[in-house]
Amino acid sequence: GHGFISWLTWHSVGETWVNNNVGNPRRFKYGTFRGNVAHSNWRGLSFSSNEQGLNTNDEGALVIDGTKSYRNQDQNLIFWYSQTVKIVDSLFADSMYDLEII
């Protein structure tokens, strides 16, 4: 399984789009993912299609702070089609791939 997963696609519109017409979740401000630990999974942390912070001088970017991911079978941290990500004071170790960006 996955330790933590956030896969957002243009098909992920849900109640926010229908009820409030405020836009797609892919572009919502993500905020800080802080102080989490993922170990002994297939993937530690997995993010897809995060477009927060585009053309906003990094405001709204996904921030991974103080997070540890280790001893996962495949990847510790993987990004698919994601932009504007900051990694601060985090540890990724002892997996086949520690950081993968696609």
Side-chain angles (χ1 to χ4, degrees):
H2 289 75
F4 301 94
I5 185 169
S6 174
W7 289 357
L8 302 173
T9 70
W10 283 110
H11 303 290
S12 302
V13 291
E15 295 177 2
T16 302
W17 179 265
V18 174
N19 294 335
N20 300 323
N21 199 27
V22 295
N24 193 285
R26 267 172 88 153
R27 297 214 172 145
F28 288 175
K29 291 183 180 179
Y30 204 102
T32 302
F33 191 80
R34 179 178 288 128
N36 292 286
V37 177
H39 64 89
S40 305
N41 298 292
W42 175 249
R43 290 190 177 117
L45 294 93
S46 185
F47 296 92
S48 176
S49 304
N50 298 295
E51 296 179 357
Q52 299 82 356
L54 276 177
N55 303 317
T56 59
N57 298 322
D58 295 340
E59 182 181 325
L62 165 62
V63 178
I64 298 175
D65 183 10
T67 297
K68 296 178 184 177
S69 182
Y70 58 93
R71 293 188 185 149
N72 296 295
Q73 292 179 1
D74 195 21
Q75 296 108 340
N76 276 322
L77 176 59
I78 185 166
F79 295 103
W80 282 289
Y81 312 109
S82 298
Q83 301 177 18
T84 319
V85 177
K86 295 179 184 180
I87 301 173
V88 181
D89 296 327
S90 296
L91 171 73
F92 306 102
D94 201 19
S95 294
M96 185 178 295
Y97 305 102
D98 289 321
L99 174 61
E100 187 168 352
I101 301 170
I102 300 174

